[in-house]
Amino acid sequence: MTKPEVLFFDVLGTVVDWRGSIAAEVSSFLARNNAAHIDAGALADAWVGRYDSSVEPIRRGLQSFATLDVVNLSNLEGTLEEFGLKISELPHAELVHLNQAWHRLKPWPDSVKGISNMKERFVVAPLSDGHTRLLVNMAKHGGLPWDTVIGADISRTYKPMPQAYLRACEVLGVKPHNAMLIAAHDYDLRAARECGFKTALVVRENARDPSKTGEPASNEDWDFSVGNLIELANILLAA
Amino acid sequence: MTKPEVLFFDVLGTVVDWRGSIAAEVSSFLARNNAAHIDAGALADAWVGRYDSSVEPIRRGLQSFATLDVVNLSNLEGTLEEFGLKISELPHAELVHLNQAWHRLKPWPDSVKGISNMKERFVVAPLSDGHTRLLVNMAKHGGLPWDTVIGADISRTYKPMPQAYLRACEVLGVKPHNAMLIAAHDYDLRAARECGFKTALVVRENARDPSKTGEPASNEDWDFSVGNLIELANILLAA
């Protein structure tokens, strides 16, 4: 295999623990707003459960691009109502603060070191549904050492549309066959491979996306399959 | 003054020593190609001297966007011919290697530390005529710790067109009055200020752009005027 020049990383689930981070912030939000009886993990799952269908019209070109800040806030409002809370009675600043939790997601324990090691040899960048500012804030918060950040606001679509992958390559001046996607989700790797990318699966506990049901277990032949990003760095740097 | 959220930096001349770096690479190119009798500094100045007029049709929307790699290579060929060298007799790989010198420009001695210090409190990003990949390569080469890199290929125009400044703000989700441009050239600061940016002049020896003649001495009232980036970091972090 020829060596890739650029390593692109899925972020939500692959680099950061979205579920642990969001459930913790939901929990403290519920406690502050007299709703500690609600299950924070269930509310977090229900919130993210609305994601996929809410961005589908953007993928299909039926709606103009909107950032995760916009999509997530709308889904949060619907989810809180579903769980019996009245949006009109909650302080707006509380909703905005909880929605901004997506800018503060915590890296998995191996992420900063793994990406730092890969950065010595390769260009490292996120390839995420997050927009540029969200990903920049998250990187500053968690110490993620990206070489650059190209958010979904640059391609103005969402994965797994080919344009999301191809536009990222275009901005970094790299051919898809000289790029690799590193991700914890098969649908993402499959779409990247269709575009010509090399692929590396990171097997993560707790990275399941509740908005994508019926995802089959990974048994495909990705270029690499690893347990964490330090392991991948060791393999790529030794190759 | 309200504090800025995002600090944008002009790069060529302000953060890196383009003239020293390019003159050194031109000198070794000339030595390798039996042309050591040519003055490397004069050739570097003549090369950059072609820059401004060659991107003017892009600024005015008369030509489609082309990256610095394309613009600089064409100008390099013209300059070498002007100095009496025959392009057709030079190895093409030599031309490409010299043209790539723009990806390897050296930071001024204060740049890495100054930007690192400012990164603790602010989002730091280049706002340059360089394209994303060139700026990423330069950052890796020189250790520039950008939070993200938004090249001219994102706005698809060149400074001082307002769109260059406004698109950078849009991508980082920041209003111009919450952004600051840090630059060594008045024309750049003036254009940013017209867009609503705060401004900081860095007085650099040897940052003069030979493609812009008749630039008056700086006597304008910028928000800050400093001798280097460590000094600016000290001021902004103390404020």
Side-chain angles (χ1 to χ4, degrees):
Chain A
M1 186 179 85
T2 57
K3 281 213 180 178
E5 274 175 58
V6 176
L7 306 181
F8 287 111
F9 297 75
D10 172 57
V11 174
L12 307 177
T14 302
V15 171
V16 298
D17 174 15
W18 78 260
R19 193 177 186 284
S21 305
I22 293 296
E25 296 232 23
V26 166
S27 176
S28 88
F29 165 88
L30 293 171
R32 282 195 308 275
N33 290 282
N34 310 310
H37 58 285
I38 295 173
D39 180 327
L43 197 149
D45 280 349
W47 183 9
V48 177
R50 291 173 177 245
Y51 175 69
D52 202 59
S53 62
S54 67
V55 300
E56 185 60 19
I58 295 171
R59 291 187 187 121
R60 295 173 64 198
L62 303 174
Q63 280 180 18
S64 187
F65 180 76
T67 66
L68 281 199
D69 283 352
V70 174
V71 170
N72 285 343
L73 184 60
S74 163
N75 288 340
L76 174 61
E77 291 176 350
T79 308
L80 292 173
E81 295 272 1
E82 178 191 329
F83 278 70
L85 296 172
K86 289 235 177 314
I87 295 303
S88 58
E89 294 172 5
L90 290 165
H92 185 66
E94 279 282 343
L95 295 183
V96 170
H97 180 78
L98 178 53
N99 197 51
Q100 289 281 116
W102 292 93
H103 296 229
R104 297 184 294 264
L105 302 178
K106 289 201 180 70
W108 296 108
D110 53 285
S111 294
V112 172
K113 183 167 167 53
I115 295 168
S116 297
N117 291 353
M118 290 184 253
K119 185 177 181 176
E120 288 171 24
R121 181 85 60 85
F122 306 97
V123 173
V124 293
L127 203 171
S128 166
D129 281 356
H131 47 292
T132 305
R133 183 60 186 271
L134 176 149
L135 295 167
V136 165
N137 287 349
M138 189 195 295
K140 288 181 92 71
H141 186 76
L144 297 169
W146 304 124
D147 280 312
T148 186
V149 168
I150 304 157
D153 49 321
I154 300 298
S155 67
R156 295 180 63 83
T157 191
Y158 284 109
K159 297 192 287 184
M161 296 302 287
Q163 175 64 3
Y165 306 88
L166 297 173
R167 180 73 176 121
C169 286
E170 185 180 40
V171 171
L172 281 178
V174 65
K175 302 281 184 205
H177 66 268
N178 290 324
M180 178 181 286
L181 182 72
I182 296 155
H185 310 104
D186 283 359
Y187 82 95
D188 200 0
L189 293 172
R190 209 174 290 128
R193 186 168 58 188
E194 284 285 318
C195 291
F197 283 52
K198 302 179 196 313
T199 52
L201 175 71
V202 188
V203 179
R204 294 282 193 202
E205 300 293 323
N206 213 15
R208 189 182 61 86
D209 177 348
S211 79
K212 297 184 184 62
T213 53
E215 178 81 359
S218 184
N219 54 8
E220 295 186 50
D221 191 21
W222 309 117
D223 295 314
F224 300 97
S225 177
V226 295
N228 63 60
L229 296 177
I230 296 172
E231 195 184 318
L232 182 61
N234 291 341
I235 293 170
L236 293 178
L237 292 173
Chain B
M1 185 178 84
T2 58
K3 278 212 182 178
E5 275 175 58
V6 176
L7 305 181
F8 288 110
F9 296 75
D10 171 58
V11 174
L12 306 177
T14 302
V15 171
V16 298
D17 174 15
W18 79 259
R19 193 176 186 284
S21 306
I22 293 297
E25 297 231 22
V26 166
S27 175
S28 89
F29 166 88
L30 293 172
R32 282 196 308 275
N33 291 281
N34 310 312
H37 59 284
I38 295 174
D39 180 327
L43 197 149
D45 280 348
W47 184 8
V48 177
R50 290 172 178 245
Y51 175 69
D52 202 59
S53 63
S54 68
V55 299
E56 186 59 19
I58 296 171
R59 292 187 186 121
R60 295 174 64 197
L62 303 175
Q63 280 182 18
S64 189
F65 181 76
T67 66
L68 282 198
D69 283 352
V70 174
V71 169
N72 284 343
L73 184 59
S74 163
N75 288 339
L76 174 60
E77 290 176 351
T79 308
L80 293 173
E81 295 272 0
E82 178 191 328
F83 278 70
L85 296 172
K86 289 234 178 313
I87 295 303
S88 57
E89 293 172 6
L90 290 164
H92 186 64
E94 278 282 344
L95 295 184
V96 171
H97 179 79
L98 179 53
N99 198 50
Q100 289 282 116
W102 292 93
H103 296 228
R104 296 184 295 265
L105 302 179
K106 290 202 181 67
W108 296 108
D110 54 284
S111 295
V112 172
K113 184 167 168 52
I115 295 168
S116 297
N117 291 354
M118 289 184 253
K119 185 178 181 176
E120 289 173 23
R121 181 87 59 85
F122 306 96
V123 173
V124 292
L127 203 170
S128 167
D129 281 356
H131 47 292
T132 304
R133 184 60 185 272
L134 176 149
L135 294 168
V136 165
N137 287 349
M138 188 195 296
K140 289 182 90 72
H141 185 77
L144 297 170
W146 304 125
D147 281 312
T148 186
V149 168
I150 304 158
D153 49 322
I154 300 299
S155 67
R156 294 179 66 81
T157 190
Y158 284 110
K159 298 192 287 183
M161 296 302 287
Q163 176 64 2
Y165 306 88
L166 298 173
R167 181 72 176 123
C169 285
E170 186 181 42
V171 172
L172 280 178
V174 65
K175 301 282 183 203
H177 66 268
N178 291 323
M180 180 182 285
L181 182 72
I182 296 154
H185 309 105
D186 283 359
Y187 82 95
D188 199 0
L189 294 172
R190 210 173 290 128
R193 186 169 58 188
E194 284 286 317
C195 291
F197 283 52
K198 302 180 197 312
T199 52
L201 174 71
V202 189
V203 179
R204 295 280 193 203
E205 298 294 323
N206 214 15
R208 191 181 61 86
D209 177 348
S211 79
K212 297 184 185 61
T213 51
E215 178 80 0
S218 183
N219 54 7
E220 295 187 50
D221 191 20
W222 309 117
D223 295 314
F224 300 97
S225 177
V226 296
N228 64 60
L229 296 177
I230 295 172
E231 194 186 319
L232 182 61
N234 291 342
I235 293 171
L236 293 178
L237 292 172

